Amino acid sequence: MERRYERNMTAISREENELLHGKRVCVAGCGGLGGGVIEGLARLGVGYIRAVDGDVFDETNLNRQLLSKEKNIGMSKAEEAVRRIGEINSHVEAEAVRCFIDSGNAADIVRGVDAVIDALDNPEARIILEEACESAGIPLIHGAIGGWNGQVAVVMPGDRLMKTLYGGCAGGEIREADAETGNPYFTPAVVSAIQVAETAKVLTGRGSALKNSLLMIDLLHHQYEIVEFGE
C-alpha cells in the first residue's frame, strides 16, 4: 500500500483501500458539488472516475467551485476535472464526458460503473439520472444545495427517491441554486464531503448508508435531520 493512503488507516482498512482501487464511479456534474466529490474520490484512490458536465467555467463559479480558477474561465468543467485528478493521483483513471444529461444519453453515461454521484443542479436531470441508474442496477448518491441548506441521500435501484422529491419539478426539498438562495463555498464543501463518505461506504459495503433516508442540513442554525422514507 502506498504511503499516500497511510492516513486513511484505520478509518478505512487496507482491504477497503484496495477494494476502492478497483471501483468505478461516475460523477454527474463538475460544479460546486461535483468538484468537491471529484477531489475526495481522487484522494481516496477510487480506480476510475468518469466526470460528466457539458458546461464551462465562468466568473460566478469562483466563489464556491473547487475546480474553478481565474485561469480556466471558459474551459470545460469535465476536462478540468480530469486534469485535476491527474494532479492529485496519477494512479486513478479519469474520463471526461462533455455533455448535459438527458433521456437520450443517460444510459450510456452510467454504463459500466459501480456507483453514480448526483451533483446536478436541476430536477429533470436528477429524475432521468435516477431512472438510468435503476435500469442499470447502480446505486445513486444524491446531493443538493441551496444557500445555507443541503441534503444527501443514497438511492438504491427501485427506491425512486428523486421522483418522490422532484416529481413535480418544483424544486423538491431543496431549492436549486438561484439568485435568491445563492450558494456560498461552505455548503457544497460540506455536502460533497458527505457524498464522498456515503460513496465510500456503498463501495466497500460498510456501515449504514443513508438508504431510504434523506439527511437534511441547515448550516445557518446547525440543524441536522434524517427523514425516513421507508422500505
Side-chain angles (χ1 to χ4, degrees), residues 73-120:
I73 299 301
M75 295 183 182
S76 162
K77 292 184 179 182
E79 291 178 359
E80 287 297 290
V82 168
R83 186 174 292 109
R84 177 60 178 167
I85 292 166
E87 292 173 345
I88 297 169
N89 193 338
S90 61
H91 299 290
V92 175
E93 180 184 354
E95 177 187 5
V97 179
R98 292 190 62 177
C99 70
F100 294 105
I101 291 175
D102 58 36
S103 57
N105 62 24
D108 288 333
I109 285 172
V110 306
R111 183 172 290 116
V113 299
D114 300 295
V116 174
I117 300 183
D118 166 22
L120 299 170

Short mmCIF file of all heavy atoms in Angstrom, two decimals, residues 73-120:
data_model
loop_
_atom_site.label_atom_id
_atom_site.label_comp_id
_atom_site.label_asym_id
_atom_site.label_seq_id
_atom_site.Cartn_x
_atom_site.Cartn_y
_atom_site.Cartn_z
N ILE A 73 -11.31 30.11 -16.76
CA ILE A 73 -12.61 30.63 -17.18
C ILE A 73 -12.81 30.32 -18.66
O ILE A 73 -11.91 30.54 -19.49
CB ILE A 73 -12.69 32.15 -16.95
CG1 ILE A 73 -12.52 32.49 -15.46
CG2 ILE A 73 -14.00 32.71 -17.49
CD1 ILE A 73 -13.54 31.86 -14.57
N GLY A 74 -13.97 29.80 -19.00
CA GLY A 74 -14.28 29.43 -20.38
C GLY A 74 -13.87 28.03 -20.76
O GLY A 74 -14.18 27.57 -21.87
N MET A 75 -13.20 27.33 -19.87
CA MET A 75 -12.76 25.96 -20.16
C MET A 75 -13.78 24.94 -19.67
O MET A 75 -14.56 25.20 -18.76
CB MET A 75 -11.39 25.69 -19.51
CG MET A 75 -10.28 26.54 -20.08
SD MET A 75 -8.67 26.12 -19.34
CE MET A 75 -7.61 27.31 -20.16
N SER A 76 -13.73 23.74 -20.26
CA SER A 76 -14.66 22.68 -19.94
C SER A 76 -14.51 22.22 -18.50
O SER A 76 -13.41 21.90 -18.04
CB SER A 76 -14.42 21.49 -20.87
OG SER A 76 -14.98 20.30 -20.36
N LYS A 77 -15.63 22.15 -17.78
CA LYS A 77 -15.59 21.66 -16.40
C LYS A 77 -15.17 20.20 -16.34
O LYS A 77 -14.40 19.80 -15.45
CB LYS A 77 -16.96 21.85 -15.74
CG LYS A 77 -17.33 23.30 -15.51
CD LYS A 77 -18.65 23.43 -14.76
CE LYS A 77 -18.98 24.90 -14.51
NZ LYS A 77 -20.23 25.07 -13.74
N ALA A 78 -15.67 19.38 -17.26
CA ALA A 78 -15.33 17.96 -17.25
C ALA A 78 -13.85 17.75 -17.52
O ALA A 78 -13.18 16.94 -16.85
CB ALA A 78 -16.17 17.21 -18.29
N GLU A 79 -13.31 18.48 -18.48
CA GLU A 79 -11.89 18.31 -18.82
C GLU A 79 -10.98 18.85 -17.72
O GLU A 79 -9.92 18.28 -17.43
CB GLU A 79 -11.60 18.98 -20.15
CG GLU A 79 -12.26 18.26 -21.33
CD GLU A 79 -12.01 18.95 -22.65
OE1 GLU A 79 -11.33 20.00 -22.66
OE2 GLU A 79 -12.50 18.44 -23.68
N GLU A 80 -11.40 19.94 -17.07
CA GLU A 80 -10.62 20.46 -15.95
C GLU A 80 -10.67 19.50 -14.77
O GLU A 80 -9.70 19.38 -14.00
CB GLU A 80 -11.15 21.83 -15.53
CG GLU A 80 -10.80 22.94 -16.51
CD GLU A 80 -9.30 23.15 -16.62
OE1 GLU A 80 -8.70 23.66 -15.65
OE2 GLU A 80 -8.72 22.80 -17.67
N ALA A 81 -11.79 18.79 -14.61
CA ALA A 81 -11.88 17.78 -13.55
C ALA A 81 -10.87 16.66 -13.78
O ALA A 81 -10.19 16.23 -12.84
CB ALA A 81 -13.30 17.21 -13.51
N VAL A 82 -10.77 16.20 -15.00
CA VAL A 82 -9.80 15.15 -15.33
C VAL A 82 -8.38 15.64 -15.11
O VAL A 82 -7.52 14.91 -14.59
CB VAL A 82 -10.01 14.67 -16.78
CG1 VAL A 82 -8.84 13.80 -17.24
CG2 VAL A 82 -11.32 13.90 -16.89
N ARG A 83 -8.12 16.88 -15.48
CA ARG A 83 -6.79 17.45 -15.25
C ARG A 83 -6.46 17.49 -13.76
O ARG A 83 -5.34 17.16 -13.34
CB ARG A 83 -6.72 18.85 -15.86
CG ARG A 83 -5.34 19.47 -15.80
CD ARG A 83 -5.30 20.80 -16.55
NE ARG A 83 -5.45 20.58 -17.99
CZ ARG A 83 -6.52 20.91 -18.70
NH1 ARG A 83 -7.55 21.48 -18.09
NH2 ARG A 83 -6.60 20.69 -19.99
N ARG A 84 -7.43 17.87 -12.95
CA ARG A 84 -7.22 17.93 -11.50
C ARG A 84 -6.96 16.54 -10.93
O ARG A 84 -6.09 16.36 -10.06
CB ARG A 84 -8.44 18.56 -10.83
CG ARG A 84 -8.38 18.61 -9.32
CD ARG A 84 -7.20 19.41 -8.81
NE ARG A 84 -7.18 19.48 -7.36
CZ ARG A 84 -6.14 19.89 -6.64
NH1 ARG A 84 -5.03 20.30 -7.24
NH2 ARG A 84 -6.21 19.93 -5.33
N ILE A 85 -7.70 15.54 -11.39
CA ILE A 85 -7.50 14.17 -10.91
C ILE A 85 -6.06 13.74 -11.19
O ILE A 85 -5.40 13.13 -10.33
CB ILE A 85 -8.51 13.21 -11.58
CG1 ILE A 85 -9.92 13.50 -11.08
CG2 ILE A 85 -8.13 11.75 -11.29
CD1 ILE A 85 -11.01 12.85 -11.91
N GLY A 86 -5.56 14.05 -12.37
CA GLY A 86 -4.20 13.69 -12.72
C GLY A 86 -3.16 14.35 -11.83
O GLY A 86 -2.10 13.78 -11.55
N GLU A 87 -3.46 15.57 -11.38
CA GLU A 87 -2.55 16.28 -10.49
C GLU A 87 -2.53 15.66 -9.09
O GLU A 87 -1.50 15.69 -8.40
CB GLU A 87 -2.96 17.75 -10.38
CG GLU A 87 -2.76 18.55 -11.66
CD GLU A 87 -3.34 19.94 -11.56
OE1 GLU A 87 -4.14 20.20 -10.63
OE2 GLU A 87 -3.00 20.78 -12.42
N ILE A 88 -3.68 15.10 -8.68
CA ILE A 88 -3.79 14.54 -7.33
C ILE A 88 -3.27 13.12 -7.25
O ILE A 88 -2.51 12.76 -6.34
CB ILE A 88 -5.27 14.55 -6.87
CG1 ILE A 88 -5.79 15.98 -6.78
CG2 ILE A 88 -5.44 13.85 -5.52
CD1 ILE A 88 -7.29 16.07 -6.59
N ASN A 89 -3.70 12.28 -8.21
CA ASN A 89 -3.42 10.85 -8.12
C ASN A 89 -3.28 10.27 -9.52
O ASN A 89 -4.27 10.00 -10.20
CB ASN A 89 -4.53 10.14 -7.35
CG ASN A 89 -4.16 8.74 -6.93
OD1 ASN A 89 -3.27 8.12 -7.51
ND2 ASN A 89 -4.85 8.21 -5.92
N SER A 90 -2.04 10.05 -9.94
CA SER A 90 -1.79 9.55 -11.29
C SER A 90 -2.21 8.10 -11.48
O SER A 90 -2.23 7.61 -12.61
CB SER A 90 -0.29 9.71 -11.62
OG SER A 90 0.50 8.95 -10.71
N HIS A 91 -2.55 7.42 -10.40
CA HIS A 91 -2.97 6.02 -10.50
C HIS A 91 -4.48 5.89 -10.75
O HIS A 91 -4.97 4.78 -10.92
CB HIS A 91 -2.60 5.27 -9.23
CG HIS A 91 -1.12 5.23 -8.96
ND1 HIS A 91 -0.25 4.51 -9.74
CD2 HIS A 91 -0.38 5.85 -8.03
CE1 HIS A 91 0.98 4.67 -9.28
NE2 HIS A 91 0.94 5.49 -8.25
N VAL A 92 -5.19 7.01 -10.73
CA VAL A 92 -6.63 7.00 -10.99
C VAL A 92 -6.87 7.24 -12.48
O VAL A 92 -6.37 8.22 -13.05
CB VAL A 92 -7.35 8.08 -10.17
CG1 VAL A 92 -8.84 8.14 -10.54
CG2 VAL A 92 -7.19 7.81 -8.68
N GLU A 93 -7.63 6.35 -13.10
CA GLU A 93 -8.02 6.55 -14.50
C GLU A 93 -9.20 7.51 -14.53
O GLU A 93 -10.18 7.33 -13.79
CB GLU A 93 -8.40 5.22 -15.13
CG GLU A 93 -8.81 5.34 -16.59
CD GLU A 93 -9.28 4.02 -17.19
OE1 GLU A 93 -9.19 2.99 -16.50
OE2 GLU A 93 -9.75 4.05 -18.35
N ALA A 94 -9.13 8.52 -15.37
CA ALA A 94 -10.19 9.52 -15.42
C ALA A 94 -10.65 9.75 -16.85
O ALA A 94 -9.85 9.74 -17.79
CB ALA A 94 -9.70 10.84 -14.82
N GLU A 95 -11.94 9.96 -17.00
CA GLU A 95 -12.54 10.19 -18.32
C GLU A 95 -13.45 11.41 -18.26
O GLU A 95 -14.29 11.52 -17.36
CB GLU A 95 -13.35 8.97 -18.75
CG GLU A 95 -14.08 9.15 -20.08
CD GLU A 95 -15.01 8.00 -20.41
OE1 GLU A 95 -15.17 7.09 -19.57
OE2 GLU A 95 -15.57 8.02 -21.52
N ALA A 96 -13.31 12.32 -19.20
CA ALA A 96 -14.17 13.49 -19.29
C ALA A 96 -15.28 13.23 -20.31
O ALA A 96 -15.01 12.78 -21.43
CB ALA A 96 -13.37 14.71 -19.71
N VAL A 97 -16.51 13.51 -19.92
CA VAL A 97 -17.66 13.41 -20.82
C VAL A 97 -18.30 14.79 -20.89
O VAL A 97 -18.93 15.24 -19.93
CB VAL A 97 -18.67 12.35 -20.34
CG1 VAL A 97 -19.86 12.28 -21.29
CG2 VAL A 97 -18.01 10.99 -20.21
N ARG A 98 -18.13 15.45 -22.03
CA ARG A 98 -18.62 16.82 -22.18
C ARG A 98 -20.04 16.82 -22.73
O ARG A 98 -20.25 16.91 -23.93
CB ARG A 98 -17.69 17.62 -23.09
CG ARG A 98 -16.32 17.90 -22.53
CD ARG A 98 -15.57 18.90 -23.40
NE ARG A 98 -16.26 20.19 -23.46
CZ ARG A 98 -15.79 21.27 -24.10
NH1 ARG A 98 -14.65 21.19 -24.76
NH2 ARG A 98 -16.47 22.40 -24.11
N CYS A 99 -21.00 16.69 -21.85
CA CYS A 99 -22.40 16.75 -22.28
C CYS A 99 -23.28 16.98 -21.07
O CYS A 99 -22.87 16.75 -19.92
CB CYS A 99 -22.81 15.47 -23.00
SG CYS A 99 -22.93 14.02 -21.94
N PHE A 100 -24.48 17.45 -21.33
CA PHE A 100 -25.50 17.56 -20.30
C PHE A 100 -26.34 16.28 -20.35
O PHE A 100 -26.61 15.74 -21.42
CB PHE A 100 -26.39 18.78 -20.54
CG PHE A 100 -25.65 20.08 -20.39
CD1 PHE A 100 -25.29 20.81 -21.52
CD2 PHE A 100 -25.30 20.56 -19.14
CE1 PHE A 100 -24.61 22.02 -21.40
CE2 PHE A 100 -24.61 21.76 -19.01
CZ PHE A 100 -24.27 22.50 -20.13
N ILE A 101 -26.78 15.81 -19.20
CA ILE A 101 -27.53 14.55 -19.13
C ILE A 101 -28.96 14.76 -19.60
O ILE A 101 -29.65 15.69 -19.18
CB ILE A 101 -27.50 14.00 -17.69
CG1 ILE A 101 -26.09 13.54 -17.35
CG2 ILE A 101 -28.50 12.87 -17.52
CD1 ILE A 101 -25.90 13.10 -15.92
N ASP A 102 -29.40 13.87 -20.50
CA ASP A 102 -30.79 13.87 -20.94
C ASP A 102 -31.24 12.43 -21.14
O ASP A 102 -30.46 11.49 -20.94
CB ASP A 102 -30.97 14.71 -22.22
CG ASP A 102 -30.11 14.23 -23.38
OD1 ASP A 102 -29.91 13.00 -23.53
OD2 ASP A 102 -29.63 15.09 -24.15
N SER A 103 -32.49 12.26 -21.54
CA SER A 103 -33.04 10.91 -21.67
C SER A 103 -32.36 10.11 -22.77
O SER A 103 -32.41 8.87 -22.76
CB SER A 103 -34.55 10.98 -21.92
OG SER A 103 -34.82 11.74 -23.10
N GLY A 104 -31.73 10.78 -23.70
CA GLY A 104 -31.08 10.08 -24.81
C GLY A 104 -29.69 9.57 -24.50
O GLY A 104 -29.22 8.63 -25.16
N ASN A 105 -29.00 10.16 -23.51
CA ASN A 105 -27.62 9.74 -23.25
C ASN A 105 -27.37 9.17 -21.86
O ASN A 105 -26.29 8.68 -21.57
CB ASN A 105 -26.65 10.91 -23.48
CG ASN A 105 -26.91 12.10 -22.55
OD1 ASN A 105 -27.47 11.97 -21.46
ND2 ASN A 105 -26.47 13.27 -22.97
N ALA A 106 -28.37 9.24 -20.97
CA ALA A 106 -28.16 8.86 -19.58
C ALA A 106 -27.71 7.41 -19.42
O ALA A 106 -26.82 7.10 -18.61
CB ALA A 106 -29.43 9.10 -18.77
N ALA A 107 -28.31 6.49 -20.20
CA ALA A 107 -27.95 5.07 -20.08
C ALA A 107 -26.48 4.85 -20.42
O ALA A 107 -25.78 4.08 -19.73
CB ALA A 107 -28.84 4.22 -20.98
N ASP A 108 -25.99 5.50 -21.45
CA ASP A 108 -24.58 5.37 -21.82
C ASP A 108 -23.66 6.00 -20.78
O ASP A 108 -22.58 5.48 -20.50
CB ASP A 108 -24.32 6.02 -23.18
CG ASP A 108 -24.91 5.21 -24.34
OD1 ASP A 108 -25.05 3.98 -24.18
OD2 ASP A 108 -25.21 5.82 -25.37
N ILE A 109 -24.09 7.10 -20.19
CA ILE A 109 -23.26 7.81 -19.23
C ILE A 109 -23.01 6.98 -17.98
O ILE A 109 -21.91 7.01 -17.40
CB ILE A 109 -23.91 9.16 -18.88
CG1 ILE A 109 -23.71 10.15 -20.04
CG2 ILE A 109 -23.34 9.74 -17.57
CD1 ILE A 109 -24.46 11.44 -19.89
N VAL A 110 -24.00 6.22 -17.53
CA VAL A 110 -23.84 5.44 -16.29
C VAL A 110 -23.36 4.01 -16.52
O VAL A 110 -23.07 3.29 -15.56
CB VAL A 110 -25.15 5.42 -15.47
CG1 VAL A 110 -25.65 6.83 -15.21
CG2 VAL A 110 -26.23 4.58 -16.16
N ARG A 111 -23.24 3.62 -17.77
CA ARG A 111 -22.90 2.22 -18.07
C ARG A 111 -21.50 1.88 -17.54
O ARG A 111 -20.55 2.63 -17.68
CB ARG A 111 -22.95 1.97 -19.57
CG ARG A 111 -22.68 0.53 -19.97
CD ARG A 111 -22.94 0.27 -21.44
NE ARG A 111 -24.37 0.32 -21.73
CZ ARG A 111 -24.96 1.20 -22.52
NH1 ARG A 111 -24.23 2.13 -23.11
NH2 ARG A 111 -26.25 1.16 -22.74
N GLY A 112 -21.40 0.71 -16.90
CA GLY A 112 -20.11 0.15 -16.52
C GLY A 112 -19.49 0.70 -15.25
O GLY A 112 -18.30 0.48 -15.01
N VAL A 113 -20.27 1.39 -14.41
CA VAL A 113 -19.71 1.90 -13.16
C VAL A 113 -20.37 1.22 -11.97
O VAL A 113 -21.42 0.59 -12.09
CB VAL A 113 -19.86 3.44 -13.05
CG1 VAL A 113 -19.11 4.13 -14.18
CG2 VAL A 113 -21.33 3.86 -13.05
N ASP A 114 -19.75 1.37 -10.81
CA ASP A 114 -20.25 0.74 -9.58
C ASP A 114 -21.13 1.68 -8.77
O ASP A 114 -21.90 1.23 -7.92
CB ASP A 114 -19.07 0.29 -8.71
CG ASP A 114 -18.19 -0.72 -9.42
OD1 ASP A 114 -18.68 -1.83 -9.70
OD2 ASP A 114 -17.02 -0.39 -9.73
N ALA A 115 -21.02 2.97 -8.99
CA ALA A 115 -21.84 3.96 -8.30
C ALA A 115 -21.88 5.23 -9.12
O ALA A 115 -20.93 5.54 -9.86
CB ALA A 115 -21.29 4.26 -6.90
N VAL A 116 -22.97 5.97 -8.98
CA VAL A 116 -23.13 7.26 -9.65
C VAL A 116 -23.41 8.31 -8.59
O VAL A 116 -24.19 8.09 -7.66
CB VAL A 116 -24.29 7.22 -10.67
CG1 VAL A 116 -24.54 8.60 -11.26
CG2 VAL A 116 -24.01 6.22 -11.77
N ILE A 117 -22.75 9.46 -8.73
CA ILE A 117 -22.96 10.55 -7.78
C ILE A 117 -23.71 11.68 -8.48
O ILE A 117 -23.28 12.18 -9.53
CB ILE A 117 -21.63 11.05 -7.20
CG1 ILE A 117 -20.94 9.91 -6.47
CG2 ILE A 117 -21.88 12.23 -6.26
CD1 ILE A 117 -19.65 10.28 -5.80
N ASP A 118 -24.83 12.06 -7.90
CA ASP A 118 -25.67 13.13 -8.41
C ASP A 118 -25.15 14.45 -7.85
O ASP A 118 -25.36 14.78 -6.68
CB ASP A 118 -27.12 12.88 -7.98
CG ASP A 118 -28.01 14.10 -8.16
OD1 ASP A 118 -27.67 14.98 -8.97
OD2 ASP A 118 -29.06 14.15 -7.48
N ALA A 119 -24.47 15.22 -8.70
CA ALA A 119 -24.01 16.56 -8.35
C ALA A 119 -24.61 17.56 -9.34
O ALA A 119 -23.96 18.52 -9.74
CB ALA A 119 -22.50 16.62 -8.35
N LEU A 120 -25.84 17.30 -9.73
CA LEU A 120 -26.53 18.12 -10.73
C LEU A 120 -27.20 19.32 -10.07
O LEU A 120 -27.17 19.48 -8.85
CB LEU A 120 -27.56 17.26 -11.47
CG LEU A 120 -26.98 16.06 -12.23
CD1 LEU A 120 -28.10 15.14 -12.72
CD2 LEU A 120 -26.14 16.55 -13.41
#
